[in-house]
Amino acid sequence: MTLFLPSNPLSNRVPKTPQDFTKPNIVTIDVGGQLFQTTKQTLTLAGSNTLFSNLFNSSEQNNTIPFIDRDPELFSILLSLLRTGYLPSKAKSFEIQDLVFEAKFYGVQDFLVESQSNPSQFEAFDLEKSMILPLSGRDSPSAIATTLNGSVHVSHGSKITSFDWSLQRKSTILTQFSAVDSLLSLSSNVVAAGATDFSGLQIIDLEMGFVVKTLNWENVTKSGSTVQAIGSSPEFLFTSFESSRRNSNSILVYDLNDGFKVASEIGHNEIFGADLDSAIPSTKLNWVPSLNLLMASGSHSGPSGVSGNIKFWDIRSRDLVAEIKEKVDCFSDITVSDTLSAVFKIGMNSGEVSYIDFRNMSSDNSWNCLGVSRKAMNVKKEGLGCKIESHGNQVFCSKEGELELWSEVLMGSLTTGKNGKEERIFKQNVLGRSKDIGGNRITNLGFGGNKMFVTRKDQQCVEVWQSSVRRF
Amino acid sequence: MEDGLSNSTPSDRIKLNVGGKLFETTVSTLRSGGPDSLLAALSHRHHQSSNPIFIDRDPEIFSVLLSLLRTNRLPSTSRRFTDQELSDEASYYGIESQLKSAMLPNPLSGIDASVVATIRPASDGVVSAFTTIDDGSVWIAHGGQISVYDWNLTHAGTVRTHLDYITSIRQVTPSAMAAVACDVSSGVHFYNFANGRRVGSVEWTDPTDPRIYKARVTTITESPESVFAAFDSYHKENCVLAIDKSTLQVTSEIGRQSGSSSKSIVPGNLTYVKDLGLLAANAVTSGAFGFSGYIRFWDPRSARVVWETNEPGSGRSSRFGDSFADVSIDVNEVTMCKICSKSGDLAMADLRKLSDDPWIYLRDTNPSLRNTSGGISNSVVHCYKKQVFVGRDGGLEVWSRVAQNGEHNMEIGEESFRRNYMDKLEDSERGIIKKIEGAGERLFVSREEAEGLEVWQSSVFSGAVLVL
């Protein structure tokens, strides 16, 4: 999974005989008065348009040792990084900020990000609570958005605070929202933000600190359009809007590569009379790459309990491909895992995790409960406030302050269940050492880089969980 | 350092031997400290010899400073040294200005600030008055002493005055002189901070009026030429005296009044608005019937009142009975804001467009702050860097503008500001906020009966805490 591979790292490294020095392959550099020797190959790894590539062009021309007026110790660390792809342990005598700054100077910051916050280093079974990121003010986090390289944006009250991939730097901006309910990062410093009490989806540039674009849904009632959920695929941004009068809703598909132009509109619902069930707005949007479908799910609480639906949309033809109606033990939260080819939910009544394999969704669409299935008829709402998210090969599920990790156990031979269908085995374990278990109710779960981010009710901070390997 | 790679001739390179450790750098790096620095001077004389120049100083701290010259930022290794050591060493090499700019706090953003330090004078720690200077240094009056903390918040010295308890202090710029006063003994007194001596005193005297006797000073401010002090005699007769900075003599008397009603009591606050050339005064009293007071602007040359407002004003005003509890004037933005005593509302006015009712009452819908208005007996307001900081009892909040479409709309509208808590609940329990003042991207907060002065700053560092 590493994006860079040092090509045959040991060849041509150590000169065996003195005449090897004459080989143009070996480069000598003077950094701040200290001499370094390395190979062209190592330096070319940094890329074609960096300081290093200019370096040997000039040294070849006038046959002198190039001099760089920088700190030699920091250079030696970055040279090791180029050679091996990893930071040497002596880097720990510096702060990551020094390395980030120096790496920027040499144009090798991508290597640093790779070595420190690579998504391939995420290890679900080795996650431990490692860091607390404090937030200013008295507002608790309402939503989080993560990026692939492990930076995280947190909305708290009317503010959005961003932490960079090293989690050492932050910046805060003020928004027009009183609280952001949905937040999604579109690039390293652009987010889409929406709220259920605010009309329009805002595309905010966090670096500049202002709204780049506001997207509205022109609904029939000519009232405002609040945002119920945001999702994205590599090409599109999906937004579930509801009219401010709450009598119509729709999912808009915006083209990310074409200035947020509306690509299509799907699942437009309008409420006529009392048929409320027909027009539940989607509160969660998940893109399923392997199916090329958008999973849109929504629920509402009615006199007969909570009911909802899960719909799979083809965004090009705007066809409804499949639908799961949730009458009994409707989901409290839902997610889909592409790697596990399944939809996972937490039942509102049972509080138990269930799944449907989306490869063989049958007409009855029955859920496979991973816990005690008879709790489905519970009158208590045990699943209220629970969160479920999938990442990698695992499904993370929060119950109050506790975090559960569900993973599939591959048994070699297939087991067949009572109903004659092939049965998959998922097992659960509780995340964290005993001192880290529990706490206030978990309100958000996010994944980025090699880290997991957790926010809790009434806690003005973000918890960072990461693997112990290669942590700076 | 844009290109970093020096393609220049080796003669531009320079070797230094600092305390036995060899460094190699370029002439341009050494000269970036400014033409007058020791390093720049050294860079001029090396060319002939290839021998490194020997400097008999500590190599470790030099490597920090060399990094600073190369990158314009302090490396984390600088934390091995105290700020004092760094600034001493930087001044040896003549590069203090580089160090100063690298150590400067980030622009103050109220929505993202925290207490970075609490300045605690060693004795009489309860801050009775303080005044801030633009570079972020602060002069603190505690008991009868004045302590100065420099831009680095390092204690630069303490002067003992003859006063028992200083209640007003102001630095007389650009000199190292402080004007101090006390609300129980008379006059304004000038102390030279360099030698700790009193250099002068000014009393309010009027040979024609025997009631003007032992007048006390309630507040002090300054313009580029003068110091203004508000005097209050025992018979409540009051005025503002303009005192020439160089001679320390009274040049004029402004706005003398009898002090018989709340409209004519002595000002509790004076501000000089440089852009308009006006002196602003405001006074607030609270009695059985609530708060009352005035805001008045004078042209100090003619001693003429340019604009004034009294609260509670006429009964026609919709805000009758909700008079201000505190007023702050933003000298840079030429605006003022007031905090209403009853509703707790914040109102702003543009000083360039003063009319009968210039106030725009700011609205905020932040649900988490909804129940904090009203019922607060102590409100303090201070404008700094286009933000309004409000202390309500112990709580500290900030009103900041939302950027709209990339530009800050400078018109004041009812909804152009948003309100947020700046502090945590624990912070508010340290005591009632007495005074807030911003300078040098810092916010200084003093609390009643609490020792020390809080310093709030914004930082780009996340302050991540390891919890393993």
Side-chain angles (χ1 to χ4, degrees), chain A residues 76-110:
Chain A
S76 82
I77 289 166
L78 294 176
L79 188 58
S80 293
L81 176 67
L82 273 183
R83 284 170 176 153
T84 63
Y86 303 115
L87 279 180
S89 63
K90 68 174 172 184
K92 285 181 180 141
S93 63
F94 291 91
E95 275 176 28
I96 188 98
Q97 281 311 302
D98 293 334
L99 298 174
V100 172
F101 189 83
E102 208 68 4
K104 260 189 200 137
F105 172 80
Y106 293 109
V108 295
Q109 62 268 51
D110 292 349

Side-chain angles (χ1 to χ4, degrees), chain B residues 196 215 220 444:
Chain B
I220 311 166
F444 297 90

Side-chain angles (χ1 to χ4, degrees), chain A residues 77 99 129 148 153 205 218 311 341 348 375 450 452:
Chain A
I77 289 166
L99 298 174
K129 188 158 101 179
L148 204 60
H153 312 294
D205 187 322
E218 300 288 329
K311 291 175 178 171
S341 308
M348 178 64 92
K375 278 167 83 179
N450 53 0
M452 173 173 78

